[in-house]
Amino acid sequence: MSVSLRVLDDGAWVSVNDAREVSVSELWRLDDPSFCGCELPDFVVENILDVGADGRTISARVYGQCIACGQTGVPGWVPVGRLREGEFVDIDRERVVLPVRRGDDDE
Amino acid sequence: MPTDVERWKSEVYGNEIREHLLEFAEQGWDTIPEDERDAWFERFKWWGLYHQRNGQESYFMMRIGTPNGVLTPGQTEVVAEVADEYARGPAENPIFGNGYVDWTTRQSIQLHWIKLEDIPEIFEKLESVGLSTQQACGDSWRNIVGCPVAGKDKHEHVDALPVAMELNETFKGNDDHSNLPRKWKVSVTGCREGCGQGDINDLALEPATKEIDGEETKGFNIRIGGGLSRNEPRLARDIDVFVTPEQAAEVSGAISALFRENGDRDNRYNARIKFLMDEWGAEKFRNVLQEEFVDFELETAGDDLRSEYSYNSGYADGGHSDHVGIHEQADGNYYVGLDVLVGRMGVDDTKELARVADEYGSGEIRITQRQNVIITDVPEEKLDALQDEDLLDHYSPDPHPFMRGSIACTGTEFCSLSIVETKNRQVRYARWLKENVELPAGVEDFHIHLSGCTASCAQPQIADISLRGMKTRKDGEPVEALDIGLGGGLGENPNFAEWVTQRVPVDEVPGAIKNLLANFEERREGDETFREFVARTDEEDLAELVEPEETSYEDPMMHNTKRTWYPYAEDDSMDASPAPTHGDGTPITSDD
């Protein structure tokens, strides 16, 4: 089953199958100590740059900043939801620690 | 690889969207195939319709383009009637009620809660008086901005209004220019005070004089590549070209074609012409324009008037900083600029504005880039009676500086991109500041611009105090916050604000402004303006002068307003949203 994934409205949100599923302005706790000096960056999402699927996991690359230390930038791929039988299943992004996957093209 | 948006544009875009739009309107919002919604909502923007944010599905923001901000006699009344009948939502705004008109920073009009099913009737009403939503959003020529009193101003070098109107007529609905890589913002101004704000536009035509064949010729210098969005603000760059008013449309079309052919269609974040200008530089840009897009030899730039620019400059050089107040026109009549706090006006007040303009002036209204309105063509003998009208009690031609200087974007009330609530918050801020903060002696212009995100629709980087939406934690809880920037402004030597303090909880911002102004007053040298003070002060020292603190100001919208379906609804949870709804406002259920 094909799933359409895209970023729309100047990076305001992620569309999964033509429905708005992930929005900017969320606060995510990232497991990405390489992003800044904080053990678990407290990251506000300002712009969504890209979205992709790895198996059943939907991940996004986003621009934002750690509100604890002020570091801005783009962490690696952050999981934002999962696919179950072609349907998007949300994860509670503001309450769970999100494991960041660094890609080959990340610094 | 072209983006999805480019693929959709290559399939259906421009004028032809209209017939699809009207068909969907006829059949209802829910007949748009689910797997085509992203594509159609992207295309609808070209006809001025922007799908509102999450929780407000099936409702649209409608933007009406009013070139150079001119509403001819009769148009304001129709805008008010359309807003009254069609721009009422399922919940009320506690400050502005239900049914209002937003005057925007690009001299346009925005209405909210518009239903797709009402579009045919709305288009018919708007078009009956010559108004249009065509290309108000989307990847093409947007509403052309300029000095809002063009053709009437005493400070005019050249009347740019006919040029702005010619550009509008030439490039609206023009298939050769309807599908550009990205939005295309144009400013045309002939006045000496810089109120076209050309520096922050993709294409700017600015007043100049050039000696051609021994004759002093009035016309425009051209600048390219300005813009404020995405943490990448740029000032438009001088490409060393002068055009006469007669050449303006041809050369502007050539520049638009250059952008069409060379802009980045693979990456929308890199698509604006400011990035092409970064890559090429002004000299290459001019060479390519001359060699590939223009059939005659371009003149080099003429003598400009930038040293006289006062608009939104933060300098007290004697010129106008905005259009508020009563000013004599070149024909001996007067224009009366009214302050509209954050640019939002209720439908009844908008109807009253139309009546007052008709009774005391010519019926014409002009919209400014500071979200205000101007009644034009008022004879001197009618000025006193006009000032006695109740409307002017609320929309004053002589407002307090904190009211006069406030600008705010749409914010999380309706916008997908914004991080914080803006319009209502800026109203609360302005009212609190007016009651609690003394401005230093002689400071009559003090601009505070609040933008909900880095898209910068409130033009925060060119204000005395720039506020930009952010998040922080307070007592462990996530709260809405603002970055604070200082000392931005246009004028002869424009510069963007320095972001000196980040992530200030929204309830501590008024206290920060109060303390900052007290520190400014203490350190001020003579009559220097705030911008001058910022310019001579180190960034680190400035950061210390901003002392956020809680005050008597209370903010009812500290929480994540984006997580609500509508921040002011009694039950604001996403689950309580009535959207999507049918044309009559009843919820669309799974049984439909």
Side-chain angles (χ1 to χ4, degrees):
Chain A
M1 183 180 291
S2 69
V3 175
S4 73
L5 298 172
R6 46 181 83 99
V7 177
L8 287 173
D9 289 351
D10 294 343
W13 45 279
V14 171
S15 165
V16 183
N17 289 334
D18 284 63
R20 294 185 276 200
E21 300 291 1
V22 183
S23 171
V24 295
S25 83
E26 293 182 353
L27 260 185
W28 296 349
R29 188 71 79 166
L30 304 180
D31 182 0
D32 186 6
S34 64
F35 178 74
C36 60
C38 302
E39 189 177 345
L40 293 173
D42 202 359
F43 185 87
V44 61
V45 181
E46 294 184 73
N47 269 115
I48 298 167
L49 306 177
D50 205 357
V51 61
D54 180 9
R56 285 183 298 175
T57 303
I58 307 293
S59 299
R61 278 165 56 84
V62 298
Y63 174 87
Q65 65 178 274
C66 174
I67 61 169
C69 69
Q71 176 68 45
T72 60
V74 182
W77 288 90
V78 184
V80 294
R82 297 187 196 289
L83 287 173
R84 187 181 299 153
E85 296 174 0
E87 298 285 316
F88 181 80
V89 180
D90 223 357
I91 54 178
D92 190 346
R93 292 175 298 274
E94 294 200 314
R95 291 179 192 275
V96 302
V97 174
L98 301 168
V100 175
R101 181 174 60 82
R102 289 270 162 185
D104 296 339
D105 55 346
D106 292 316
E107 289 175 4
Chain B
M1 196 173 81
T3 61
D4 281 340
V5 174
E6 280 300 324
R7 183 168 54 79
W8 298 330
K9 287 162 62 184
S10 71
E11 292 165 359
V12 178
Y13 209 58
N15 291 307
E16 61 182 332
I17 297 166
R18 182 183 173 111
E19 62 183 283
H20 297 276
L21 175 62
L22 295 178
E23 199 177 320
F24 286 128
E26 181 83 19
Q27 295 173 0
W29 182 84
D30 54 338
T31 65
I32 304 172
E34 284 188 17
D35 61 352
E36 296 178 17
R37 285 184 178 164
D38 285 353
W40 286 113
F41 296 153
E42 188 64 37
R43 293 177 180 129
F44 289 170
K45 292 175 188 173
W46 201 91
W47 276 98
L49 291 165
Y50 213 111
H51 200 206
Q52 287 181 192
R53 74 165 170 85
N54 200 16
Q56 300 169 4
E57 286 77 9
S58 80
Y59 291 96
F60 291 82
M61 179 275 281
M62 170 182 276
R63 187 178 295 153
I64 304 164
T66 41
N68 209 83
V70 178
L71 280 158
T72 57
Q75 290 184 334
T76 307
E77 189 177 355
V78 169
V79 169
E81 286 170 4
V82 167
D84 192 5
E85 191 166 351
Y86 303 104
R88 292 185 184 274
E92 192 160 296
N93 180 301
I95 292 176
F96 298 101
N98 202 342
Y100 35 81
V101 173
D102 283 352
W103 314 108
T104 80
T105 52
R106 286 192 58 77
Q107 296 173 279
S108 298
I109 296 161
Q110 290 184 179
L111 308 178
H112 292 93
W113 298 122
I114 297 294
K115 296 298 295 179
L116 187 62
E117 291 80 358
D118 291 329
I119 294 299
E121 284 179 30
I122 295 173
F123 277 8
E124 192 177 331
K125 286 177 193 286
L126 293 175
E127 289 166 6
S128 72
V129 291
L131 289 167
S132 174
T133 63
Q134 188 183 39
Q135 290 172 230
C137 315
D139 293 345
S140 59
W141 282 65
R142 299 292 189 87
N143 191 48
I144 294 166
V145 300
C147 170
V149 286
K152 300 184 187 292
D153 192 16
K154 289 175 76 173
H155 308 90
E156 213 155 49
H157 177 68
V158 55
D159 180 3
L161 191 57
V163 177
M165 292 304 176
E166 185 188 359
L167 294 182
N168 183 64
E169 283 165 24
T170 305
F171 297 108
K172 282 291 162 85
N174 182 328
D175 287 339
D176 289 339
H177 300 270
S178 64
N179 180 357
L180 300 178
R182 203 68 175 78
K183 63 180 80 169
W184 184 242
K185 294 180 173 178
V186 177
S187 167
V188 186
T189 182
C191 108
R192 295 172 172 277
E193 299 185 317
C195 36
Q197 299 200 134
D199 285 315
I200 57 170
N201 281 262
D202 295 299
L203 165 61
L205 279 71
E206 300 198 313
T209 303
K210 173 83 177 174
E211 189 178 309
I212 299 175
D213 298 331
E215 280 192 32
E216 292 285 303
T217 306
K218 289 182 176 179
F220 306 94
N221 283 347
I222 291 182
R223 285 176 181 248
I224 303 284
L228 300 176
S229 63
R230 299 190 67 81
N231 283 322
E232 299 271 7
R234 300 282 189 283
L235 294 165
R237 291 174 63 177
D238 181 0
I239 62 164
D240 193 23
V241 169
F242 172 88
V243 294
T244 64
E246 295 73 28
Q247 295 168 328
E250 184 178 350
V251 175
S252 296
I255 297 168
S256 172
L258 182 155
F259 177 50
R260 181 190 65 215
E261 302 302 321
N262 293 280
D264 186 349
R265 290 183 189 261
D266 293 336
N267 179 0
R268 290 183 66 75
Y269 298 134
N270 195 47
R272 292 287 291 278
I273 202 167
K274 64 185 178 184
F275 298 114
L276 185 65
M277 181 60 86
D278 282 355
E279 190 183 326
W280 283 7
E283 190 178 338
K284 177 177 176 182
F285 194 101
R286 190 190 198 283
N287 290 341
V288 174
L289 177 67
Q290 176 71 78
E291 288 166 17
E292 299 179 27
F293 293 93
V294 179
D295 291 333
F296 60 91
E297 181 138 1
L298 292 163
E299 296 284 351
T300 57
D303 295 329
D304 65 38
L305 305 166
R306 292 177 65 87
S307 64
E308 298 178 49
Y309 285 7
S310 57
Y311 188 81
N312 208 16
S313 72
Y315 292 124
D317 59 3
H320 295 153
S321 192
D322 58 30
H323 293 90
V324 174
I326 300 171
H327 306 281
E328 191 177 6
Q329 297 177 182
D331 65 1
N333 287 323
Y334 287 77
Y335 72 81
V336 181
L338 306 182
D339 177 52
V340 184
L341 185 55
V342 301
R344 181 166 287 180
M345 186 178 272
V347 291
D348 291 339
D349 289 344
T350 309
K351 287 179 183 175
E352 189 64 359
L353 175 69
R355 181 193 68 78
V356 166
D358 196 46
E359 189 169 331
Y360 298 93
S362 59
E364 181 188 72
I365 291 291
R366 298 208 177 178
I367 308 163
T368 83
Q369 292 187 56
R370 296 197 56 77
Q371 299 182 327
N372 295 319
V373 294
I374 300 169
I375 298 170
T376 59
D377 308 321
V378 182
E380 186 173 7
E381 62 271 19
K382 288 188 174 180
L383 283 173
D384 287 345
L386 169 59
Q387 291 177 84
D388 287 340
E389 286 283 349
D390 290 345
L391 184 76
L392 274 68
D393 289 343
H394 193 61
Y395 305 97
S396 173
D398 185 23
H400 188 283
F402 284 128
M403 315 302 265
R404 180 177 189 149
S406 291
I407 285 183
C409 70
T410 298
T412 53
E413 184 178 9
F414 300 114
C415 176
S416 292
L417 202 48
S418 184
I419 297 175
V420 299
E421 185 219 28
T422 54
K423 278 206 190 290
N424 286 26
R425 175 165 287 138
Q426 182 76 341
V427 170
R428 296 192 300 269
Y429 280 177
R431 289 175 178 167
W432 187 88
L433 291 167
K434 180 182 169 187
E435 292 303 315
N436 294 282
V437 179
E438 286 283 323
L439 276 159
V443 176
E444 291 175 2
D445 289 300
F446 194 77
H447 295 174
I448 302 176
H449 297 188
L450 169 55
S451 221
C453 71
T454 57
S456 303
C457 299
Q459 303 170 349
Q461 298 95 330
I462 54 169
D464 291 303
I465 293 186
S466 315
L467 304 175
R468 184 174 64 192
M470 192 30 66
K471 286 281 178 63
T472 194
R473 286 189 192 275
K474 183 163 180 167
D475 304 324
E477 292 298 313
V479 296
E480 295 197 350
L482 296 170
D483 290 342
I484 298 179
L486 303 178
L490 296 178
E492 181 182 10
N493 299 305
N495 71 274
F496 300 129
E498 299 278 353
W499 295 101
V500 299
T501 306
Q502 271 82 39
R503 301 179 300 283
V504 178
V506 289
D507 62 335
E508 298 178 26
V509 170
I513 295 172
K514 181 178 184 175
N515 292 334
L516 174 64
L517 283 169
N519 286 326
F520 164 49
E521 185 164 30
E522 195 179 308
R523 292 161 177 76
R524 190 181 187 197
E525 292 179 359
D527 292 332
E528 72 180 347
T529 66
F530 185 75
R531 184 177 171 192
E532 290 162 342
F533 167 70
V534 171
R536 70 167 174 83
T537 307
D538 289 341
E539 192 175 331
E540 282 180 17
D541 294 338
L542 285 172
E544 287 179 12
L545 303 181
V546 183
E547 302 169 78
E549 71 169 341
E550 291 180 4
T551 59
S552 61
Y553 172 84
E554 291 183 8
D555 201 301
M557 294 284 150
M558 296 281 285
H559 59 301
N560 188 345
T561 52
K562 202 66 168 290
R563 283 282 191 184
T564 68
W565 76 270
Y566 186 65
Y568 315 114
E570 198 171 316
D571 181 352
D572 65 4
S573 65
M574 280 289 180
D575 291 342
S577 169
T581 64
H582 292 292
D584 63 4
T586 58
I588 295 171
T589 65
S590 54
D591 298 334
D592 282 310

